[in-house]
Amino acid sequence: MKIGCIIEARMTSSRLPGKVLMDIWGKPAIIRQIERIQRSRFIDSIIVATTINASDDVLVELLEKENIPYYRGSEDDVLGRVAETASYFNLDVVVEITGDCPLVDIAESDRVIERYLEGGFDLVSNNLLRTYPIGMDTIAVANRVLQETARSTGDPAHREHVCLYLYEHPFDYSFSNIEAPPFLRDAKLRMTLDTKEDYEFIGKIYEELYPQKADFNLYDMMRLLNRKPELRSINNNIMQKKVR
């Protein structure tokens, strides 16, 4: 069984253009995210699904330099782009982590993958019922289901959000949700990279934790925020964009 993590990434973010290449402790954000995902116990390959736009040439140059596999597809049809990527790389299981998660704790993501591998579900996620901070989102879905989804809908919202069609057809597929352990529960906490304030927050997390422990995890981050609650004020006024 081939398990691939597909990271959706592009340079033309509406809120924070170029965010995937913004510097985080000396390296581009996308590289920091990939470093964290590489520690997974289950993921065989990490692939960036970017676009055919000329604006993403600079991202592709970085990926080629770092020997990171990638696929280029439609900017607006994200579902199609991810499905094409999964088909091109012949994946059995797709682990979806969007390209704005440079703090993702892959040990918590592995809990999602492990539940999927236990069998019985088409899709396992940790955000069907959100208990983790925003930015820890991980989905494991069968590639056959992803391909079926891509053939089944032309709804613009479904094409923009990879698993929205599945979530809106709960009686057609089997789901499971992983909830955060008590100490890690904070559904409103932003650990995603989407605004200047998020970038400042993430920079502070790396500044505080990375020099002592390069593979810091979500427990380390929550302990830091308990010690320094003022860090939460950096981006706690940012509203998460709604899917619909």
Side-chain angles (χ1 to χ4, degrees):
M1 182 178 291
K2 188 175 181 182
I3 303 173
C5 177
I6 297 179
I7 303 172
E8 304 143 30
R10 59 188 175 93
M11 292 294 291
T12 53
S13 165
S14 58
R15 275 182 161 182
L16 192 62
K19 64 184 180 181
V20 294
L21 296 188
M22 293 178 75
D23 182 86
I24 296 179
W25 204 252
K27 289 187 180 181
I30 189 71
I31 300 301
R32 287 299 185 198
Q33 179 170 335
I34 289 170
E35 287 176 344
R36 297 177 67 79
I37 296 172
Q38 285 172 336
R39 301 186 180 103
S40 171
R41 295 181 290 125
F42 301 109
I43 292 170
D44 300 308
S45 58
I46 302 170
I47 306 148
V48 175
T50 190
T51 84
I52 58 175
N53 294 355
S55 58
D56 286 317
D57 289 350
V58 62
L59 172 58
V60 167
E61 288 175 10
L62 172 68
L63 298 174
E64 290 180 341
K65 178 183 176 182
E66 299 291 335
N67 294 314
I68 297 166
Y70 65 89
Y71 183 90
R72 304 187 76 166
S74 169
E75 177 177 17
D76 298 323
D77 183 7
V78 185
L79 171 57
R81 190 197 326 159
V82 172
E84 289 169 9
T85 303
S87 179
Y88 182 83
F89 286 92
N90 197 30
L91 302 180
D92 298 300
V93 182
V94 174
V95 177
E96 186 202 11
I97 302 177
T98 57
D100 50 9
C101 301
L103 292 178
V104 64
D105 183 344
I106 200 60
E108 298 304 313
S109 299
D110 275 351
R111 295 183 62 212
V112 173
I113 302 169
E114 189 168 32
R115 171 74 60 83
Y116 177 89
L117 293 175
E118 289 170 356
F121 300 104
D122 295 312
L123 179 149
V124 180
S125 175
N126 61 6
N127 63 5
L128 286 167
L129 172 65
R130 180 174 293 283
T131 55
Y132 281 97
I134 301 165
M136 298 293 145
D137 300 34
T138 304
I139 297 168
V141 60
N143 187 20
R144 61 169 179 79
V145 171
L146 187 65
Q147 301 302 327
E148 180 181 310
T149 302
R151 294 190 298 267
S152 299
T153 180
D155 184 321
H158 292 159
R159 306 309 298 190
E160 183 180 358
H161 302 280
V162 175
C163 291
L164 181 60
Y165 175 87
L166 297 175
Y167 294 160
E168 293 184 346
H169 293 76
F171 299 109
D172 297 333
Y173 300 94
S174 56
F175 302 146
S176 182
N177 187 68
I178 297 293
E179 296 190 13
F183 185 66
L184 303 183
R185 288 178 179 240
D186 194 336
K188 294 183 180 180
L189 177 61
R190 292 183 61 81
M191 290 186 161
T192 186
L193 178 56
D194 198 35
T195 68
K196 290 184 294 183
E197 292 85 353
D198 295 333
Y199 179 62
E200 181 182 352
F201 174 84
I202 291 168
K204 290 291 185 182
I205 297 292
Y206 268 83
E207 179 182 332
E208 292 280 349
L209 297 177
Y210 189 85
Q212 291 77 34
K213 185 182 179 183
D215 60 344
F216 63 88
N217 59 29
L218 187 51
Y219 283 93
D220 298 318
M221 290 184 263
M222 298 304 278
R223 281 191 287 264
L224 170 63
L225 294 176
N226 283 344
R227 293 197 312 271
K228 296 188 174 183
E230 66 274 13
L231 294 178
R232 292 174 175 268
S233 66
I234 296 173
N235 66 344
N236 65 0
N237 65 331
I238 304 299
M239 297 295 294
Q240 183 71 0
K241 291 187 293 186
K242 294 186 181 297
V243 173
R244 284 195 187 273

